[in-house]
Amino acid sequence: SLVLTQPPSVSVAPGKTARIPCGGTNIGSYIVNWYQKRPGQAPLLVIHYNVDRPSGIPERFSGSNSGNTATLTVRRVEAGDEADYYCHVWDAHTLRGMFGGGTKLTVL
Amino acid sequence: QVKLVQSGAEERRPGASVKVSCKASGYIFTGQFMHWVRQAPGQGLEWMGRINPTSGGADYAQDFQGRVIMTRDTSINTAYMEMTRLNSDDTAVYYCATNAATAMALDYWGQGTLVTVSS
């Protein structure tokens, strides 16, 4: 079954671009969502359907998904973007959801 | 607007059970599945399962099969997650979440319920 793999941490300087990968066998055939998780807060959906931004999410956030890797890209990173980010897939074959292990984005 | 309001924090002894509620408003409760997700201290998000509020049927993650029961009461737009045979590893914040405005993503979340299991 599909297993989603994320690096534990990504660090980036303010104003630069952060790329957070989510690996999985043939993940490109799945629909991937991304959530931002800050301590003490509920997760916030930042990307759905691989590339779509919910209302209120800055255009700096974008997603892609192809082959064995989905990627969340955050451009012009700000201090307020520092959080944990999780990829998420719904497997319509097994009727199970799953999350990647999460990536802590640190703004240097 | 869509709101999911969960019940308050709970403390339990190992071996006990806990039932967390999630009251929905602002959308058609029977129109979308309700999911449950937990996060243990220092750990990642873990999908537990989902319930179809219309039929009452549920799908559970393998790790929770047989120990978690998801139910709902459509008369009060409330979903429930009951976990039995608690152990210290079940200490976590439990969230309900739904996809009220998206097809396959969790776009609305409850505020979370802390369940502490300790002897």
Side-chain angles (χ1 to χ4, degrees), chain A residues 33 35 37 41 86 90 96, chain B residues 39 44 50 60 104 106:
Chain A
N33 311 300
Y35 302 86
K37 178 69 172 69
Q41 297 184 19
Y86 292 86
W90 174 255
R96 301 290 184 272
Chain B
Q39 184 175 37
R50 67 170 189 171
Y60 300 104
M104 300 177 80
L106 303 175

Side-chain angles (χ1 to χ4, degrees), chain A residues 31 33 35 37 40-45 48-49 84 86 88 90 92 95-101, chain B residues 35 37 39 43-47 50 59-62 65 95 102-107 109-111:
Chain A
I31 292 172
N33 311 300
Y35 302 86
K37 178 69 172 69
Q41 297 184 19
L44 173 70
L45 179 68
H48 64 101
Y49 251 91
D84 295 327
Y86 292 86
H88 164 246
W90 174 255
L95 298 182
R96 301 290 184 272
M98 66 192 74
F99 289 93
Chain B
H35 297 246
V37 175
Q39 184 175 37
Q43 303 300 309
L45 299 177
E46 185 175 20
W47 184 82
R50 67 170 189 171
D59 303 301
Y60 300 104
Q62 190 168 1
Q65 196 86 35
Y95 295 98
T102 62
M104 300 177 80
L106 303 175
D107 48 8
W109 294 70
Q111 82 275 20

Side-chain angles (χ1 to χ4, degrees), chain B residues 84-108:
Chain B
T84 62
R85 306 192 304 278
L86 291 166
N87 60 66
S88 57
D89 291 340
D90 296 317
T91 293
V93 177
Y94 290 77
Y95 295 98
C96 59
T98 191
N99 52 327
T102 62
M104 300 177 80
L106 303 175
D107 48 8
Y108 290 94

